[in-house]
Amino acid sequence: NSIQIIGKRLGTDTRAAELIRKIRKSLFQRGNLPNGAKVSPKVLLIADRDPDRLKTMYIIGTRGFLNEILELVGARNAYSGNIPYPSISVDSVSSMNPDIIIDFTFTKSKEAKEKIKRSWDRYQMIRAVRNRKIIFAEGDFWQKPGPRIGLIADELRRILY
């Protein structure tokens, strides 16, 4: 609705309507589980952590817009509690046993990403670690709901499937 209002005030009704159509198409696309998959992947979304190690991790809970988009693309949050951004330990990650871990901490250098991946290596009991499914989200759009929300859904589909 806000995109429509802004478009009208700026005299760009047609462009606003097209943007809304694209967002809806991305968010509500069906057939999200490819290749006949029968189970939705269980995904852990790390919002923040210590920059150099797996300490003081904060994850995205089940109440935010990223969780809603995760569900719309056919996946489920590995965390099922009610805290919006809980602080967790590696032991908690182990008990959740996600299929995929997506790290939103904006780790920029390849060396830093490799260091974090090596830190995970000792936790082979975690499915995402064992299957090398630790993904670093790229881009500045992930935690900002707005006109690029459809891009978030598209990127999640690309990462997950």
Side-chain angles (χ1 to χ4, degrees):
N1 194 2
S2 60
I3 293 172
Q4 215 169 15
I5 292 168
I6 292 169
K8 187 172 185 163
R9 288 193 179 158
L10 295 175
T12 57
D13 302 37
T14 306
R15 287 179 60 195
E18 178 63 18
L19 178 59
I20 292 167
R21 189 193 64 71
K22 286 181 180 178
I23 290 170
R24 286 185 177 145
K25 182 180 177 192
S26 291
L27 289 177
F28 301 108
Q29 181 178 347
R30 294 294 173 221
N32 298 312
L33 297 176
N35 303 324
K38 293 179 177 40
V39 179
S40 299
K42 188 165 54 166
V43 182
L44 182 68
L45 306 170
I46 299 176
D48 197 17
R49 64 168 161 67
D50 185 295
D52 297 321
R53 37 187 196 177
L54 302 176
K55 300 252 182 202
T56 320
M57 286 187 279
Y58 291 90
I59 61 171
I60 294 169
T62 56
R63 293 185 178 181
F65 81 96
L66 279 173
N67 183 72
E68 290 178 30
I69 296 172
L70 190 67
E71 291 175 353
L72 283 171
V73 301
R76 57 198 162 105
N77 198 327
Y79 173 74
S80 60
N82 292 321
I83 301 169
Y85 291 93
S87 174
I88 64 165
S89 66
V90 174
D91 289 339
S92 297
V93 176
S94 180
S95 70
M96 288 183 248
N97 200 19
D99 298 307
I100 300 167
I101 296 171
I102 302 176
D103 188 321
F104 292 100
T105 59
F106 305 112
T107 304
K108 299 215 186 273
S109 76
K110 184 176 180 178
E111 295 80 20
K113 290 175 185 176
E114 289 305 316
K115 182 178 180 182
I116 291 298
K117 284 184 178 182
R118 282 192 306 274
S119 296
W120 280 109
D121 280 346
R122 72 176 82 160
Y123 303 103
Q124 291 295 309
M125 75 289 274
I126 301 171
R127 192 175 303 114
V129 174
R130 192 171 52 250
N131 295 327
R132 301 199 177 283
K133 295 286 188 176
I134 299 170
I135 311 297
F136 292 92
E138 304 287 338
D140 63 352
F141 55 88
W142 287 99
Q143 296 188 37
K144 300 176 187 174
R148 296 185 290 176
I149 202 163
L151 177 61
I152 295 170
D154 292 340
E155 282 296 300
L156 277 173
R157 275 189 203 89
R158 184 188 64 74
I159 289 169
L160 298 173
Y161 306 113

